Amino acid sequence: MKEKLLSALQKRPYFLVLLPLFFIAHGYNEFFGFFSFNFILLNLVLTGFCTGVLFLVTLFYFKNKEKTSLFTFWLLLFILTFGETHDILKQLFKNGFISSYKFILPFSLFLFFALAFYIKNKKQPFTRTYLFFHLLLITFALYEGIAAIGNYQKLKNGSNIIDNRFTAVSEYKPIKQIPDTLKPDIYFLVFDAMPSTKAMKAEWKYDNSNLDSFLNKQGFYIAADSRSNYNITLLSVTSCFNMNYYHEKDIFNGGEIKTIIRGLNSLSNNPLQKILKKENYTVIQSEPLSFQNKPGVEKSFFQDIIDYHFYYKTLPGRMYKDLGWQLSKIKVIRSMMGTLSEKKFESNKRRLNYTIQKIKESCSQQHNPQFVYAHFMLPHAPFIFDSSGSIKSLKEIQSLKLENHPKAFIEQVKFANTIIKDLLLYIKQNNKRNTIIIIAGDHGFRNASGSGYMIFDNLNTVYLPDQNYQSFYSSMSLVNTFRLILNKHFYSTMPILVDSSIFIPYNISKKKLAFQQFN
């Protein structure tokens, strides 16, 4: 038995199956628990299909299955691991000539021509090479299996969310229970990058006080000096739901992509929702960020992170990611890209209308208490809407210069104002009188020039049914919003945290742990 197994490992190219399996298993283990079975199976089939195509193409040259298998393995290894190899080269050579495509591609081509010539003319069998490849890949497969067991245990302990401490849940200790009929509905409407009126007036001399006047007339409290806790959407919103700040390790653990995915999962698994579900609340979400969107709804804003996870690791995927923008220089492709952009803009508008529709559908005079969270990608870039909400022409969008971004941003602020006014009136007229409404920007305008940190200066306003805002204050931030509401309306005694703004670099990586705080 042992001799038969050894003979098979020396003569049969099982490594052409083991290599794709290892590639998929390794990629899955990187983000264990985030990918569906169908997605993994699809990528495995595609990788296996490409392996078969490479084998058949090279077979025409070698006319020998043993030699074809060996060359296919090396070629497949180069293609599948190019992304990670390229990243290592960029770190070692500081993005110099050796890590550039101008060097890598011709040099690799030369090596493969030399390798093909060597394999073609070698007379001895490759039994030892076959055995080495098999033992190496079996070892790697065992390692991935052990890693999967460890990852499964981490997943059970909450590794797929950005913060599994849930300290706010233990802090929530209401001293009095209230019946469900007296519990308020809560609407939390986030407008991405919506700045405060004070900030826009200081930076751009633009007066948005017409919105503030409307809110004041409707009985809202405006935190005029509010600043977001983070400059990144997912951290800002999820820290609001967690009612807590993050440790550095929470943010930077696993790199940028893993932080994003853990943040997305935290939108539907957080202390606020746990507390509200204990209070018999129905939770309704309509936002373009998470992966939980129902069929028929536009895909997640971050869906490409999932869709291209394996593809971007490969040679063609990495080249497309790094060099694909140069295809826009070709007139025909530029025209096709323009058509795709227009479709994407229409998709953005549909998503916006869908969210408005879902909010209005949630309104009713009779139902169990509910928490409604909606996220609007306004007035955040891309700057595709005019002040009335119509999509601009493709030419106007593409020709927009950097210095004109504030003007285009303000147009979308005006459009966002219209949506805010419409929704607030609708909710107040059609939902229960006992309804809390929170309107907030997750951060401010991120490309602002000037002396201030407009990236943090966000809109933050709250409507309470009794309009008693004694516990609220002008500099309150989102991390304290639900602490204040739970204390006032659910008789809890949660401590109020120090309001701070924490700057996180936009390219999160393990080696760049910039962590600056502005009180």
Side-chain angles (χ1 to χ4, degrees), residues 313-326:
K313 292 176 176 293
T314 66
L315 173 64
R318 184 55 66 92
M319 288 183 65
Y320 172 77
K321 184 179 179 182
D322 293 344
L323 307 175
W325 61 271
Q326 296 197 29

Side-chain angles (χ1 to χ4, degrees), residues 4 19 44 112 139 189 206 238 364 457 477 499:
K4 285 184 178 181
L19 181 57
L44 184 59
F112 275 105
T139 302
L189 312 182
Y206 173 70
T238 54
S364 171
D457 295 306
S477 62
D499 294 292

Side-chain angles (χ1 to χ4, degrees), residues 347-357 376-378 385 415 419:
S347 173
N348 290 353
K349 184 66 179 285
R350 285 196 303 272
R351 175 76 233 192
L352 191 67
N353 291 334
Y354 174 83
T355 301
I356 293 172
Q357 176 190 344
F376 297 85
M377 295 304 292
L378 276 176
F385 298 108
F415 179 35
I419 296 174

